[in-house]
Amino acid sequence: MKAVVIGSGIAGLTSAALLAKAGADVQVFEQNPFIGGITAFARKSGYCWENGPLLLSDFLPGERAYEILKSLGITVPVIQKDRGIEMPDFALWHPKEYGGRFWRRERLKELFPQDAKGIDAYYRFYENMMRVAYYGRLCEEKRNPLHKLQLFWYWQTVKKFAPLDADAVTRHFFKSEEIRSLLTCILADTCTKPSEAPGLGVPFFNIETAFDKRIPLTLRGKQIFGGYCYFKGGVEKLVAALAENITARGGKIRTSAAVTKINTKDGQVTGVTLADGSVVDADIVVASGGGREIFCDLLGLEHLDDAYRNAIENFRPMEAVFMVHLGVDFDPMQYQPSELCYYYSTYDIEKSVENVRNGVYHEGDEGFLIYIPSAVSPEMAPEGRHCVTIYTICPDTLKEGDWNDLEEKYADKLVSLAEKHIPGLLQHTKERLIMSPVAFRKLTHLKKSSFGGLTLIRDAPAPAHVTPVKGLYFVGAQSESKGGVAGVLMGAKRAFDQIKELRR
């Protein structure tokens, strides 16, 4: 079986590794001169930055993405970590002395005594949703019929929230706008309004272990909760491990090799045409990248049925980000309790997302995050120095002005805002690299920069892995996986399982 994979991001490389292990003759085509896509490092003068705060779930031993890699013979060292969060009027940093599984619950009750009963009720809902997810995974793995009964039992406790959006769920539990915003502010990262996001997702946007790595992942001997970690040495270590795995099994990876057309005959994929005019025959094509770029430009919408065409025409990718990478000659961790901290300056997440969608950039005034990757992996900076990344969401296209003209001004402002949390940041900066939406469009080859994947809007169409064209599969952040490193890796595995099923 001959297989072509378009794109060498995590989804494409995982797909290629799985196909190569299954005995396929695999070729990966990447139009950049390097592999990794958005997970490739940004580099300058000995500094390396990840294009995002890659504190990831599902990669600890026993978790789903870890097990997929293990099945391929890949083990990449990780470091379990957590993050901090600061709202306009209060902060929830992990305490120096461990305060138990529910220290955040108790801290919120101190801050908002009027909401104490609602806080307790929310945490019962949280625990039950974690169990629903746990037993749901076990049922997928078909381990024990008893798991279905346990899933049914816990589902009864939460199913009334299934029709609600995230805003409605948080209003059910809390009177305080401050708590509601605390539990939905991460949606701004995905450019999703709380009134659009699934209500049952609220606990998963706020898994307690993300805020304190000391919280046990197990409950009564069962690993109910997920943990969070970084790849030691950065996410490029995962990219390199996948690439090595592919080539060790006879697969080929070609860079600077753009696919310009997906070829079909009688509703069946036949291969691809490259920018140099050469044709590569294939029984299977797995495409990753932008949904509209792949299906409108490389394939042609006329090859799709009405349902899939509707998904391509109407799905909503996330918006862009504005990112400033700094190389500094001092230790910024003396001012920040975690390698990754979110700083919010507004409680109105709904309005913030709406403004970004309409081309209005808040210039960092409504919030940003600071990430220090070299505090986890010192090798990402020259000895005695550190990498710092500051970023915030922004419009791909500004309502007023142009990114090329304004990026330096906006970078200066973002650094000045970050200095309120890390004093001396500007004085100690030795290198600076700006990643505007224009830079991300070039990196990802998207007509509209979309960072991270699809929005988390309830019931919004998402292009499925299995397309109407026989032998053509779609993976990656703009597919039904909806984004995230672990998400697209697990999505690639689901697509591979569907390939196997359909080829029986």
Side-chain angles (χ1 to χ4, degrees), residues 57-263:
S57 62
D58 287 296
F59 283 101
L60 291 174
E63 295 181 336
R64 291 173 294 175
Y66 175 94
E67 291 300 319
I68 293 170
L69 293 174
K70 184 179 176 182
S71 73
L72 289 166
I74 296 173
T75 302
V76 184
V78 297
I79 305 171
Q80 189 175 355
K81 290 289 184 177
D82 50 31
R83 66 179 185 253
I85 188 167
E86 186 171 303
M87 302 302 289
D89 304 304
F90 65 97
L92 283 177
W93 310 120
H94 58 231
K96 289 184 179 179
E97 293 187 10
Y98 179 52
R101 287 179 59 232
F102 293 115
W103 68 261
R104 283 186 13 121
R105 179 188 67 187
E106 298 309 310
R107 179 62 179 143
L108 286 173
K109 287 161 73 173
E110 291 174 5
L111 291 167
F112 305 100
Q114 71 276 21
D115 264 323
K117 288 185 179 179
I119 293 166
D120 283 336
Y122 167 76
Y123 273 87
R124 289 192 294 272
F125 166 61
Y126 168 86
E127 292 264 288
N128 287 335
M129 278 305 305
M130 294 299 108
R131 289 181 173 95
V132 166
Y134 171 72
Y135 287 111
R137 289 194 298 272
L138 294 184
C139 288
E140 286 180 5
E141 296 166 8
K142 301 176 183 178
R143 291 191 181 182
N144 189 328
L146 180 61
H147 294 148
K148 291 185 178 181
L149 291 176
Q150 291 165 311
L151 175 61
F152 176 80
W153 171 265
Y154 286 111
W155 174 248
Q156 299 312 303
T157 69
V158 300
K159 69 177 183 179
K160 68 179 180 181
F161 298 108
L164 304 182
D165 58 51
D167 181 63
V169 164
T170 54
R171 287 182 184 278
H172 173 86
F173 290 109
F174 313 113
K175 300 182 183 70
S176 305
E177 179 189 33
E178 293 87 347
I179 304 180
R180 297 199 301 269
S181 296
L182 173 72
L183 296 179
T184 57
C185 58
I186 195 65
L187 289 170
D189 264 19
T190 70
C191 295
T192 307
K193 299 178 185 178
S195 63
E196 298 171 330
L200 292 180
V202 173
F204 301 103
F205 310 148
N206 298 277
I207 293 179
E208 295 293 297
T209 53
F211 303 99
D212 195 331
K213 66 181 181 181
R214 297 168 294 187
I215 296 173
L217 305 183
T218 58
L219 186 63
R220 298 188 183 95
K222 300 172 182 176
Q223 189 172 334
I224 303 289
F225 310 104
Y228 287 78
C229 63
Y230 296 102
F231 286 102
K232 190 174 182 179
V235 74
E236 265 202 2
K237 296 294 185 182
L238 174 60
V239 172
L242 285 165
E244 183 179 350
N245 190 274
I246 293 163
T247 55
R249 291 193 166 102
K252 297 179 178 65
I253 302 174
R254 287 182 55 185
T255 55
S256 300
V259 172
T260 56
K261 186 180 179 184
I262 296 172
N263 302 323

Side-chain angles (χ1 to χ4, degrees), residues 434-450:
I434 300 171
M435 293 294 291
S436 72
V438 175
F440 278 114
R441 272 184 239 140
K442 182 179 180 181
L443 173 62
T444 59
H445 301 274
L446 297 177
K447 296 173 184 174
K448 177 180 183 293
S449 177
S450 169

Side-chain angles (χ1 to χ4, degrees), residues 330-332 334-335 418-428:
F330 78 128
D331 184 4
Q334 62 188 299
Y335 300 109
E419 272 211 300
K420 296 176 182 177
H421 303 281
I422 301 181
L425 196 57
L426 181 60
Q427 173 190 348
H428 289 280

Side-chain angles (χ1 to χ4, degrees), residues 29 60 122 124 140 178 250 253 275 320 344-345 347 366 381 431-432 461 465 469 489:
F29 295 101
L60 291 174
Y122 167 76
R124 289 192 294 272
E140 286 180 5
E178 293 87 347
I253 302 174
Y344 292 91
S345 304
Y347 290 116
E366 293 182 359
E431 293 291 350
R432 184 166 91 167
H465 296 314
V469 177
L489 188 149

Side-chain angles (χ1 to χ4, degrees), residues 268-316:
Q268 163 79 49
V269 75
T270 61
V272 298
T273 299
L274 304 182
D276 63 6
S278 60
V279 174
V280 180
D281 295 332
D283 305 297
I284 287 174
V285 172
V286 179
S288 64
R292 295 189 178 104
E293 285 77 4
I294 287 167
F295 291 99
C296 297
D297 300 341
L298 302 189
L299 178 70
L301 292 177
E302 67 274 12
H303 296 284
L304 305 177
D305 58 27
D306 290 343
Y308 208 94
R309 189 181 304 113
N310 177 67
I312 294 299
E313 291 175 342
N314 294 293
F315 77 111
R316 181 184 281 276

